[in-house]
């Protein structure tokens, strides 16, 4: 699954308008993002299995807070 360089470049330019990213940089960012999503997904499924329940947004919130100290409001 490859979105190409445009999302990576767009994200970088939101951070710094003068930044640029070559093809290798875009590929590296895509690999890091893919690994992050896979890791989070596996942890969420593991947590839901432990609770003997379906996966929920609360599982995502718990994993992101505990493992990465990231907080998001649930609306």
């Amino acid at each position: 699954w490859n979105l190409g360089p445009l999302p990576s470049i767009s994200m970088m330019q939101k951070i710094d308008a003068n930044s640029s990213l070559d093809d290798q940089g875009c590929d590296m960012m895509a690999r890091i993002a893919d690994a992050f999503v896979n890791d989070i997904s596996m942890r969420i499924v593991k947590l839901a299995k432990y609770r003997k329940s379906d996966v929920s947004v609360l599982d995502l919130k718990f994993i992101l807070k505990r493992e990465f100290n990231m907080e998001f409001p649930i609306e």
Side-chain angles (χ1 to χ4, degrees), residues 33-53:
D34 187 51
F36 179 77
V37 169
N38 285 337
D39 182 47
I40 296 296
S41 300
M42 289 189 328
R43 290 174 192 244
I44 291 171
V45 169
K46 191 183 255 186
L47 180 61
K49 282 183 180 180
Y50 176 77
R51 291 186 302 105
K52 296 179 181 159
S53 180

Side-chain angles (χ1 to χ4, degrees), residues 8-43:
S8 300
I9 293 170
S10 174
M11 184 177 73
M12 289 295 296
Q13 288 178 342
K14 286 180 183 178
I15 296 169
D16 182 2
N18 297 321
S19 66
S20 65
L21 201 58
D22 64 2
D23 288 341
Q24 285 182 326
C26 289
D27 185 50
M28 179 63 72
M29 283 186 64
R31 288 175 190 237
I32 291 169
D34 187 51
F36 179 77
V37 169
N38 285 337
D39 182 47
I40 296 296
S41 300
M42 289 189 328
R43 290 174 192 244

